[in-house]
Amino acid sequence: ASVCLGSSLVLSSMVASSAATPSTYCTAPHTGTYAFLGSVNMNGLSRTFSSWASPYYLFVPASTTTTTVAQGSTYTLSVTSIPDATAANTIASVWFDWNRNGTFEASEWTQLWTSAASGSVQITVPANASIGQTWMRVRTRGSGNLNGSADACT
């Protein structure tokens, strides 16, 4: 549209999302020696966990813990864990459902550490990540347990 100097023009924009936010994800069972998640921090998202009870997983609603990230940008994800009395260290992994298909895929996995109680990694949002609310899963277990790319739900 043409606009003359001194006139006003209303612009509007819309971001189209091809998929609704998935409503359910698999639940990882409690197996092996355990380690509780202590905290998660990334780009202003900050969540501390102080107590855990069976079944040892927690869905945190987006209304209480969110951040905004941009496609192609890199962010620092910092996580702490609380090992049980039998495990001096933990193993930790994170999955981001970048394509928002309701599945934490091996290609969406990052190993945080294999024998520690805390750590930080750089997370790059893929340039082709689907726009909209995206789920993240952080899983901690006692060091020596499996926690690889295919273990989001095992």
Side-chain angles (χ1 to χ4, degrees):
S2 298
V3 179
C4 295
L5 185 62
S7 343
S8 62
L9 174 67
V10 176
L11 300 174
S12 61
S13 65
M14 177 176 57
V15 175
S17 176
S18 61
T21 302
S23 59
T24 60
Y25 282 85
C26 63
T27 300
H30 172 66
T31 58
T33 57
Y34 60 89
F36 300 122
L37 188 59
S39 66
V40 176
N41 294 283
M42 182 174 148
N43 192 46
L45 176 152
S46 181
R47 182 72 188 238
T48 301
F49 304 93
S50 59
S51 65
W52 289 88
S54 183
Y56 304 105
Y57 64 86
L58 178 66
F59 289 104
V60 180
S63 61
T64 63
T65 307
T66 62
T67 188
T68 301
V69 296
Q71 295 165 313
S73 295
T74 300
Y75 303 91
T76 301
L77 171 67
S78 299
V79 176
T80 64
S81 65
I82 305 166
D84 78 346
T86 64
N89 287 308
T90 62
I91 183 171
S93 297
V94 63
W95 291 261
F96 289 88
D97 186 17
W98 296 123
N99 60 9
R100 301 178 62 226
N101 68 352
T103 302
F104 294 113
E105 299 160 8
S107 63
E108 298 171 324
W109 168 77
T110 300
Q111 185 78 68
L112 293 164
W113 64 80
T114 58
S115 185
S118 64
S120 297
V121 295
Q122 297 297 303
I123 300 293
T124 300
V125 179
N128 63 346
S130 294
I131 295 172
Q133 287 187 347
T134 301
W135 282 55
M136 169 181 68
R137 170 169 288 170
V138 178
R139 186 169 191 197
T140 58
R141 301 173 87 184
S143 185
N145 288 280
L146 293 176
N147 212 18
S149 63
D151 294 324
C153 304
T154 60

